[in-house]
Amino acid sequence: QMQLVESGGGLVQPGGSLRLSCAASGFTFSNYWMYWVRQAPGKGLEWVSGISKGGGGRYYVNSVKGRFTISRDNAKNTLYLLMNSLKPEDTARYYCARPQRDGLGQEYDYWGQGTQVTVSS
């Protein structure tokens, strides 16, 4: 069965860093684009970042450009999100998700359990 398991979240001070990981199983990971999405308290899901199959194409929502880096290790079936210079508005539960089609702006119908990121002093 397909599974996505996020880890690496936690409580950090503004300006701090975290690296999130997503372990994928149950499908051929290297054949798919992958996304990171997040949900802040009281808000809906927001797309944060996406990466192409081989990792050469990396895309971000404007609010995290220059601070976050998405990457993947297809040999390990793992997706990563390095988050630097964290801000309180980054506080959210972060999920990895597999889009239904290649590219950006695609629907996704499966994501993991998420990992909580809280940025507070």
Side-chain angles (χ1 to χ4, degrees), residues 30 32-34 50-60 70-74 79:
S30 62
Y32 293 88
W33 281 60
M34 293 295 294
I51 188 167
S52 60
K53 297 173 182 179
R58 303 180 183 190
Y59 308 91
Y60 307 90
I70 190 171
S71 62
R72 65 192 296 164
D73 187 338
N74 286 341
L79 177 72

Side-chain angles (χ1 to χ4, degrees), residues 3-68:
Q3 287 191 310
L4 299 170
V5 181
E6 299 91 341
S7 62
L11 174 64
V12 296
Q13 296 183 13
S17 298
L18 285 173
R19 189 181 74 158
L20 308 184
S21 298
C22 171
S25 61
F27 66 100
T28 304
F29 181 70
S30 62
N31 284 350
Y32 293 88
W33 281 60
M34 293 295 294
Y35 295 165
W36 284 100
V37 302
R38 66 187 180 186
Q39 187 168 34
K43 305 292 181 61
L45 287 168
E46 177 190 25
W47 179 88
V48 175
S49 186
I51 188 167
S52 60
K53 297 173 182 179
R58 303 180 183 190
Y59 308 91
Y60 307 90
V61 68
N62 285 339
S63 61
V64 310
K65 284 182 179 177
R67 299 189 298 119
F68 291 10

